Amino acid sequence: MGTLKNNVQLIGNVGQDPTITTLENGKKVAKFPLATNEHYKNAKGEKQTQTDWHTIVAWGRTANIIEKYVTKGKEVAIVGKLTSRSYEDKNGTKCYVTEVVVSEILLLGGNE
């Protein structure tokens, strides 16, 4: 179990076109929401779908790939790690954010 670390693997659909930001040093960062679905049957035997939304962040070469090939509706598989951070908004309220930082992305399906 010592080799299992902070590792996330998700397959889902991109919720909106990625936002690409180029920083002062020329490095790019891509950010987009990813929807993952879990299907199950409720107590009455009816099919149900639970959708979870994840904030995905990618840097450098991975951000370049996302900029070129990833659009809203695209099915992708990602491997990355969970990160958490906090900040204060303009009203002084402390906000907490959990994101998946991508190390690998695989383009799976077409736009839906």
Side-chain angles (χ1 to χ4, degrees), residues 25-40:
N25 62 5
K27 194 171 189 179
K28 289 187 180 179
V29 60
K31 191 172 184 178
F32 62 91
L34 185 74
T36 56
N37 295 314
E38 182 177 345
H39 305 283
Y40 63 95

Side-chain angles (χ1 to χ4, degrees), residues 3-17:
T3 59
L4 295 179
K5 305 249 188 250
N6 183 354
N7 188 44
V8 176
Q9 297 178 346
L10 297 171
I11 296 176
N13 293 90
V14 177
Q16 68 184 40
D17 287 339

